[in-house]
Amino acid sequence: MQQEDTRQTEKPAHDRPAQLPQVAEPRNPGMALDLDWVLGARANTSAIERRARTLPGRRSLKKDHQAAWLLKATTCIDLTTLAGDDTAGRVRRLCAKGMQPVRADILSALGMAPITVGAICVYHDMIAPAVDALQASGVPVAAVSTGFPAGLSPFDTRIAEIRASVAAGAQEIDIVISRRHALTGNWQALYDETRAMRQACGEAHMKTILATAELGSLRNVARASLVCMMGGADFIKTSTGKESVNATLPVSLVMIRALRDYHDRTGIHIGYKPAGGISKAKDALTYLALIKEELGTRWLSPDLFRFGASSLLGDIERQLEHQVTGRYSTGWRHPAA
Amino acid sequence: MTVPEIFETMDYGPAPESAAEALAWLVDRGDRFGHFIDGAMTEPRSDFSSRNPATSEVLAHLSQATSDEVDTAVSAARAAQPKWARLSGHKRARYLYALARLVQKHCRLLSVLETLDNGKPIRESRDIDIPLVARHFYYHAGMAQLADTELADREALGVCGQIVPWNFPLLMLAWKVAPAIAMGNTVVLKPAEYTSLTALAFAYLCREAGLPKGVVNIVTGDGAVGEMIVSHSNIAKIAFTGSTEVGRIIRRATAGSGKALTLELGGKSPYIVFEDADIDSAVEGLVDAIWFNQGQVCCAGSRLLVQEGIAEPFHAKLRKRMENLRIGNPLDKCIDIGTVVDPVQWQQIADKVAGSGGEVFQPDIPLPETGCFFRPTLITGLEQSDPLMQEEIFGPVLVATTFRTPAEAVGLANNTRFGLAASIWSENINLALGIAPKLAAGVVWINATNLFDAAAGFGGVRESGFGREGGWEGMMAYSRRIRSTKPLKPLMPSGTAASSVADEIDRTPKMYVGGKQARPDSGYSRPVCSPRGKLLGHVGLGSRKDIRNAVEAAEKAVGWSGTTAHLRAQILYFIAENLSARGDEFAARIRHQTGTNTRTARAEVETAISRLFTYAAWADKLDGAAKPVPLRGIALAINEPVGIIGAFCPDEAPLLGLISTMAPAIAMGNRCVLVASEPYPLTATDFYQVLDTSDVPGGVVNILTGSHTELGPHLAGHLGVDAVWSFSSSDISGLVESEAAGNLKRTWVNNARSRDWSGSDGEGREFLAAATEVKTVWVPYGE
């Protein structure tokens, strides 16, 4: 089933921001719901936790390598604001930060060309100011959709919301799944819903938010991940950021292993987005190492990996300045998001 | 590489731990070390050197202990022991606590030193070895604190000679030293010659802790020094961790010396993956099973058994996982696999892999150009008969085969001379918990591998050795029950018959094998006479063939080990009931054989009945334990029967001795081959009629008669017998222990010392412990 990566779009590096992928993978067309596969998914919590717990001790990054990885992490951030008090002004500031996430003098000291974050993630009403602010930067706007975060508004409304967001210029749609379908084992309903949403997304990439903390078990996370991919998800994403527990390493391990199985069987590359609770540079490195170990280096790219985070960038900036100056830095030395 | 380049490749890059402090520590001590004897370092010599296997650099020059130096160390330990044992448990606890704290304070020095000397990844020495060392001293500080009250009926053994291997140098030292000194023993320890440095560093910690002189002594050197320790007459106990081959030599060397012995030896531990397992986690588990410490782990999951239906995808995932392993500088914090300990070991592993008939897979991963690095290796397509499926490789080499059913998995798993550890991977609780008791292993991990903790016993069955380290069961190996003994006088059959019994029909006592009466294979009998020379009857002269038949019968009676404790209790009560009904007859028989008076004979019968009640009571009351290990889950300590126990019954108490030997064995689910009292065998031959009427299944108890000296080598040497006990008045202890080396069966011998069979020394926990093996089953849980 391995599909050829025929649609390579090689461009000279200087023509495009450094973080943008040099190879575009074919999108996930989805597949028929394979319930045998879904129900055969297993996840041994203790073993998964052990793997997650020991990983930080197994991989370590120092000096230039640490700096390069932190820059990579920066390019994979979906810089996010999802607050009730968001305004156009607030979103413009966020976009400005997203287009220049690391101080130019630091980048220059590290020998790096300019970089941007992976995307700016906002609510529907903030799409317009974001698209406006980001204009020619190439940074896409991602919108949370489908009755975010609970996903309990009427189905038609949720589909319409996707269409409206795409029409408003969102290139990526972060949808929330109906947790009740996973909790009741109604995988067909989850599949149908995902399929319909994918259709509504059109050209926009779809990230399916599983809200893993509300699925009851890691086994359910594995099953829901598979169903979402069968339904056509381009990315699978852990959390809305609004659950009591958001992205964790064990949950990530389960999701990316499901994603790896999907790739092994179909040849399709699915992206992964842990979201919420990742606020330290060190945590970001651990996530990247996890991805590299379990999925391979190909996945360490914003077309296949994103952090959903709001405060992570601040810590990364401080670490990068430390790398350049040899002295620990502080928050107010870096422009706010 | 520049930052923008790394940004593209996303390589890890080097992340070396500095060796500077550890090397400085060595330099400060002149790079030369003597021994640690009586609280001081001896004058250093440069007899041999310790090398870094990653670079071949000499790390330090060491002294090969001479016979005089070993003598001095043992004398120092011996001189220190009484006072050390007389200290309150609390005082000893303070020293152990100080040692635990010092290990933590110097954790980085010890980790780096260990990695330099051994070649294991710094992650492992830093995150696993050294924290477990500290944990072991903390745990045993607690044991010292509680010993006065909780182990009040036990005492220290004396000087313990301890020989540890090179794969976990400091951790194995901790496993040996901590329980020994907690209980009031003193030690003479020899680290492996490849890896002595952390043991020497530990010597400095002992000084820093103010440990009294002579409590811990460390001598360095090769196997010759080990031999001196093993054969030293003032050492009371030998504890050895290492190869089965050397373990067997030590068993023979200590036979008959009266030394206590525990052996933690090799393994070929099965790693069983059922089709309903979390496959990715099981694949990842193998990284910790066989690529932990370069596979140089006695309990490494080195034999992969995968259910046939998932074997292909499982192997494919495993190969892919292997491509991601990083092998290189052990001091790099980003390395999975370091170096094998020595070029000699490297060559042995390479030779074994080269001789494989299977499909050998080694990932094409970068390897340093020099140093003892061995690629992680998977060999599939092997059959059980392949030597690589049977022999321990002790390197990063995993051999694999497949199975169809759970029963076949158990069959393959147990088709080995070893029995150290096993892993079971299944999401089905019924399957996993059902397989665990069926495996011949001292430790079983469910959906996990290589979990260790000081609270949980560790040790093997079969040729993986005997004795447990860790937990309360570990303390048994460093203490003995307090009781007084005397030299045991040999009791031999009296001379030939002066007259025969004319007024009774001739009775022909036979042996009892497989629930049936059996004539001796030899066709010879001998008369049994009263002390006054009156002929009481004839008994068969048992031979090796009768032993063979009896052990075969015992093997067939394997169902007994699976019966409920309640049923075994019922049968023991029933035996007591039937014995009681014939009490007078048995008393008379004792009187006729031994010449004792009626009252004494009667009392022996009554005590025997009481003893049967004791073990009927114990049958369902020797509880296991749920150990509080640091993990979400439980570690169960399950008392399992040893298997087939061969026993030479006491000569002096024909009935009580027989019962005292048989009852604990069968109460715990063992089958036994009992050799009756040599001078007074007729009680035992009468007794099988009681067994016949008491619903004891055939083969559970087999009774032979004959010469203990002649039968000794055959019973003790039988490779299908799991344990042999000797309470014989013939001095066969040495012979039994020596012959037991063949399959490293557990032994319990009297060393020609007496035992008061009628009192509390004749029953209880000492017997129950000998009749059981503790199996530790780790069950991590949580959804």
Side-chain angles (χ1 to χ4, degrees):
Chain A
M1 287 287 288
Q2 183 77 37
Q3 296 186 359
E4 290 296 313
D5 295 337
T6 50
R7 282 189 278 165
Q8 296 192 352
T9 52
E10 299 280 0
K11 275 191 185 180
H14 57 83
D15 269 13
R16 45 191 301 148
Q19 86 283 2
L20 287 186
Q22 306 302 300
V23 179
E25 305 292 350
R27 277 189 79 184
N28 176 24
M31 58 178 281
L33 178 64
D34 182 343
L35 270 179
D36 284 346
W37 183 2
V38 171
L39 296 176
R42 289 183 175 85
N44 186 279
T45 303
S46 298
I48 288 162
E49 286 173 348
R50 271 196 304 282
R51 166 70 167 147
R53 195 168 53 243
T54 58
L55 179 74
R58 290 178 198 260
R59 293 293 177 261
S60 181
L61 289 148
K62 302 291 170 199
K63 302 187 174 152
D64 280 356
H65 284 83
Q66 188 181 93
W69 280 55
L70 288 175
L71 290 166
K72 180 66 77 176
T74 304
T75 65
C76 292
I77 292 176
D78 277 4
L79 199 58
T80 302
T81 182
L82 294 170
D85 57 0
D86 284 345
T87 61
R90 157 80 183 124
V91 168
R92 273 197 295 276
R93 198 173 72 212
L94 191 77
C95 291
K97 182 71 183 174
M99 290 185 284
Q100 195 174 357
V102 177
R103 254 171 37 206
D105 61 305
I106 294 176
L107 283 179
S108 151
L110 294 170
M112 280 292 289
I115 58 171
T116 68
V117 297
I120 298 294
C121 184
V122 293
Y123 271 115
H124 171 83
D125 272 3
M126 295 296 128
I127 296 173
V131 166
D132 188 45
L134 292 168
Q135 290 227 346
S137 69
V139 178
V141 174
V144 296
S145 191
T146 68
F148 183 93
L152 285 167
S153 45
F155 179 74
D156 292 344
T157 312
R158 285 184 274 148
I159 294 294
E161 195 185 347
I162 293 173
R163 295 211 168 95
S165 292
V166 173
Q171 289 166 268
E172 300 177 4
I173 303 292
D174 290 20
I175 64 112
V176 290
I177 68 162
S178 295
R179 278 75 111 182
R180 62 188 184 281
H181 293 330
L183 290 170
T184 55
N186 194 350
W187 303 113
Q188 185 69 50
L190 180 62
Y191 175 82
D192 293 343
E193 175 186 272
T194 314
R195 222 86 209 94
M197 289 176 177
R198 165 64 197 274
Q199 209 162 22
C201 283
E203 286 302 301
H205 281 220
M206 179 171 78
K207 307 192 194 105
T208 55
I209 303 173
L210 268 53
T212 52
E214 295 178 351
L215 296 186
S217 70
L218 290 181
R219 197 175 44 247
N220 256 357
V221 169
R223 289 174 176 174
S225 299
L226 287 172
V227 172
C228 286
M229 289 185 281
M230 291 170 186
D234 295 294
F235 263 73
I236 51 176
K237 174 178 170 186
T238 57
S239 323
T240 63
K242 312 288 185 189
E243 289 88 51
S244 56
V245 178
N246 297 296
T248 65
L249 284 177
V251 154
S252 298
L253 199 49
V254 171
M255 291 176 70
I256 64 178
R257 282 174 173 175
L259 183 162
R260 182 173 64 193
D261 279 347
Y262 192 82
H263 175 257
D264 287 347
R265 291 212 203 180
T266 66
I268 295 292
H269 293 74
I270 306 286
Y272 178 63
K273 179 177 173 184
I278 304 164
S279 57
K280 297 288 175 207
K282 195 172 189 324
D283 296 342
L285 293 176
T286 302
Y287 270 94
L288 292 179
L290 178 74
I291 297 299
K292 183 175 167 77
E293 290 299 306
E294 296 279 331
L295 298 177
T297 308
R298 173 63 191 90
W299 261 266
L300 296 179
S301 168
D303 67 330
L304 290 176
F305 182 74
R306 300 284 179 81
F307 288 109
S310 47
S311 59
L312 171 63
L313 180 56
D315 197 48
I316 288 179
E317 288 176 272
R318 294 193 301 114
Q319 300 308 322
L320 287 173
E321 186 167 30
H322 173 249
Q323 170 64 24
V324 169
T325 64
R327 292 290 176 266
Y328 291 108
S329 180
T330 186
W332 45 258
R333 294 175 55 83
H334 304 277
Chain B
M1 269 168 84
T2 65
V3 170
E5 282 165 355
I6 303 165
F7 184 85
E8 292 303 323
T9 63
M10 290 300 281
D11 286 340
Y12 286 113
E17 174 73 38
S18 167
E21 286 81 358
L23 293 173
W25 187 88
L26 292 170
V27 169
D28 288 350
R29 281 147 192 86
D31 283 330
R32 291 166 83 224
F33 291 86
H35 313 291
F36 181 60
I37 295 175
D38 205 20
M41 296 302 295
T42 61
E43 196 57 37
R45 293 192 300 272
S46 302
D47 298 333
F48 69 106
S49 53
S50 205
R51 284 172 189 273
N52 178 345
T55 61
S56 311
E57 284 167 1
V58 172
L59 293 166
H61 300 279
L62 304 172
S63 307
Q64 164 86 8
T66 62
S67 166
D68 281 351
E69 286 169 330
V70 172
D71 278 346
T72 315
V74 174
S75 300
R78 200 173 181 213
Q81 199 268 328
K83 196 173 167 201
W84 177 248
R86 271 200 310 275
L87 283 185
S88 69
H90 174 63
K91 284 269 169 57
R92 289 199 304 275
R94 286 181 172 216
Y95 287 113
L96 280 136
Y97 180 72
L99 286 170
R101 299 292 291 197
L102 283 166
V103 167
Q104 287 185 316
K105 284 178 201 165
H106 298 292
C107 62
R108 196 51 65 96
L109 170 69
L110 294 170
S111 303
V112 175
L113 210 49
E114 197 76 298
T115 286
L116 284 173
D117 205 13
N118 165 280
K120 65 173 65 200
I122 185 69
R123 176 192 80 88
E124 294 180 11
S125 47
R126 180 197 65 201
D127 293 353
I128 299 169
D129 288 49
I130 305 305
L132 279 172
V133 170
R135 163 83 180 132
H136 228 75
F137 279 101
Y138 275 118
Y139 181 83
H140 285 94
M143 279 297 185
Q145 178 75 21
L146 297 179
D148 292 345
T149 52
E150 299 305 309
L151 299 168
D153 63 337
R154 301 186 71 85
E155 62 185 356
L157 300 170
V159 178
C160 299
Q162 307 181 318
I163 301 167
V164 297
W166 44 257
N167 57 347
F168 295 92
L170 191 62
L171 181 55
M172 290 301 104
L173 174 148
W175 281 25
K176 298 272 182 289
V177 170
I181 65 175
M183 194 64 211
N185 301 279
T186 54
V187 307
V188 175
L189 177 132
K190 186 192 88 68
E193 67 269 32
Y194 292 148
T195 55
S196 307
L197 299 185
T198 47
L200 293 166
F202 180 77
Y204 285 87
L205 298 190
C206 290
R207 290 228 302 225
E208 216 177 321
L211 195 69
K213 291 174 180 175
V215 171
V216 169
N217 302 274
I218 294 168
V219 292
T220 53
D222 61 13
V225 181
E227 274 182 61
M228 293 175 203
I229 293 173
V230 165
S231 59
H232 204 286
S233 55
N234 283 334
I235 284 181
K237 186 236 162 83
I238 296 293
F240 171 76
T241 295
S243 72
T244 292
E245 186 190 347
V246 174
R248 195 169 278 131
I249 292 168
I250 292 176
R251 170 69 288 181
R252 292 205 175 101
T254 55
S257 66
K259 286 189 179 75
L261 178 66
T262 47
L263 298 172
E264 203 270 89
L265 307 175
K268 190 77 179 175
S269 298
Y271 188 100
I272 309 169
V273 184
F274 289 98
E275 60 190 6
D276 62 355
D278 172 355
I279 303 292
D280 289 307
S281 289
V283 167
E284 192 59 42
L286 276 167
V287 175
D288 291 328
I290 185 65
W291 295 303
F292 173 50
N293 201 17
Q294 296 71 247
Q296 303 168 133
V297 183
C298 50
C299 54
S302 54
R303 217 159 32 107
L304 173 63
L305 308 176
V306 184
Q307 198 151 13
E308 240 176 69
I310 57 162
E312 272 313 305
F314 188 91
H315 292 155
K317 274 179 182 268
L318 178 56
R319 289 190 191 101
K320 210 166 164 191
R321 179 66 184 89
M322 290 168 72
E323 306 274 6
N324 261 3
L325 291 169
R326 288 167 59 82
I327 183 165
N329 177 9
L331 276 175
D332 194 311
K333 290 180 265 191
C334 211
I335 279 297
D336 297 307
I337 302 177
T339 76
V340 168
V341 74
D342 191 85
V344 174
Q345 290 294 321
W346 191 96
Q347 196 57 51
Q348 283 181 11
I349 300 166
D351 290 347
K352 282 179 179 162
V353 170
S356 160
E359 188 188 330
V360 177
F361 172 79
Q362 292 180 323
D364 184 22
I365 51 179
L367 209 62
E369 280 171 15
T370 56
C372 305
F373 295 95
F374 198 95
R375 273 182 210 284
T377 305
L378 166 69
I379 308 180
T380 49
L382 290 178
E383 300 305 333
Q384 201 62 11
S385 51
D386 194 298
L388 283 187
M389 287 299 284
Q390 301 286 338
E391 291 165 14
E392 186 172 37
I393 298 173
F394 223 65
V397 181
L398 178 67
V399 297
T401 192
T402 60
F403 64 88
R404 294 165 298 171
T405 62
E408 190 170 57
V410 171
L412 290 172
N414 290 346
N415 183 208
T416 168
R417 287 178 292 132
F418 297 109
L420 192 48
S423 284
I424 303 169
W425 289 80
S426 166
E427 289 300 287
N428 179 343
I429 189 173
N430 301 303
L431 181 61
L433 293 181
I435 296 292
K438 293 183 181 151
L439 296 176
V443 184
V444 176
W445 295 291
I446 293 179
N447 292 319
T449 190
N450 280 343
L451 302 176
F452 309 102
D453 184 58
F458 182 90
V461 299
R462 294 187 181 170
E463 293 183 32
S464 292
F466 42 81
R468 292 291 177 266
E469 299 187 288
W472 291 99
E473 54 270 41
M475 297 305 284
M476 299 299 109
Y478 285 99
S479 61
R480 67 178 156 232
R481 195 166 174 275
I482 299 167
R483 67 181 180 91
S484 60
T485 65
K486 298 186 301 232
L488 184 58
K489 270 190 290 193
L491 274 177
M492 280 301 159
S494 51
T496 48
S499 63
S500 68
V501 187
D503 51 350
E504 289 174 28
I505 297 177
D506 184 65
R507 278 172 63 189
T508 313
K510 300 196 183 70
M511 295 194 255
Y512 187 64
V513 173
K516 294 194 178 69
Q517 301 183 26
R519 288 204 175 78
D521 181 87
S522 68
Y524 289 104
S525 295
R526 75 159 181 86
V528 179
C529 304
S530 74
R532 290 184 184 162
K534 187 177 164 194
L535 180 68
L536 301 173
H538 287 80
V539 289
L541 278 177
S543 67
R544 61 195 174 90
K545 296 283 177 62
D546 300 303
I547 300 252
R548 176 199 63 190
N549 296 344
V551 174
E552 269 175 23
E555 278 169 354
K556 285 194 188 114
V558 63
W560 180 251
S561 301
T563 53
T564 64
H566 175 69
L567 177 76
R568 296 196 298 271
Q570 294 295 294
I571 287 178
L572 281 157
Y573 283 126
F574 198 15
I575 297 172
E577 184 186 323
N578 290 324
L579 178 60
S580 176
R582 293 171 61 175
D584 290 341
E585 180 198 328
F586 272 89
R589 187 64 115 176
I590 292 168
R591 196 159 44 79
H592 292 149
Q593 291 178 101
T594 66
T596 189
N597 61 39
T598 308
R599 199 169 56 88
T600 313
R602 198 57 241 190
E604 182 173 337
V605 174
E606 285 307 313
T607 309
I609 292 167
S610 165
R611 193 137 295 164
L612 285 162
F613 265 62
T614 296
Y615 291 109
W618 270 120
D620 53 7
K621 291 174 193 65
L622 188 70
D623 299 339
K627 299 299 184 82
V629 290
L631 155 102
R632 190 189 59 229
I634 42 171
L636 298 171
I638 300 171
N639 294 311
E640 291 196 339
V642 173
I644 297 175
I645 297 175
F648 294 91
C649 295
D651 288 320
E652 62 272 30
L655 178 64
L656 182 58
L658 177 82
I659 299 295
S660 302
T661 310
M662 175 201 78
I666 66 172
M668 293 298 111
N670 300 283
R671 296 90 74 195
C672 51
V673 176
L674 306 173
V675 182
S677 161
E678 192 170 338
Y680 314 130
L682 294 176
T683 298
T685 56
D686 289 347
F687 185 71
Y688 62 62
Q689 293 180 344
V690 175
L691 294 173
D692 264 344
T693 54
S694 306
D695 294 347
V696 179
V700 172
V701 179
N702 303 278
I703 296 174
L704 304 180
T705 53
S707 156
H708 289 186
T709 314
E710 280 173 30
L711 293 174
H714 301 298
L715 186 53
H718 195 299
L719 299 175
V721 172
D722 300 293
V724 61
W725 300 349
S726 175
F727 305 114
S728 174
S729 70
S730 298
D731 187 8
I732 57 171
S733 296
L735 177 156
V736 161
E737 287 186 329
S738 180
E739 287 293 339
N743 66 338
L744 288 161
K745 58 174 71 66
R746 290 98 191 90
T747 59
W748 186 22
V749 298
N750 60 6
N751 291 309
R753 304 290 297 180
S754 69
R755 180 178 287 272
D756 175 12
W757 293 102
S758 58
S760 61
D761 289 348
E763 66 178 26
R765 286 190 179 268
E766 201 180 358
F767 288 78
L768 296 165
T772 51
E773 288 285 4
V774 177
K775 176 184 274 179
T776 305
V777 180
W778 291 73
V779 192
Y781 52 61
E783 171 81 3

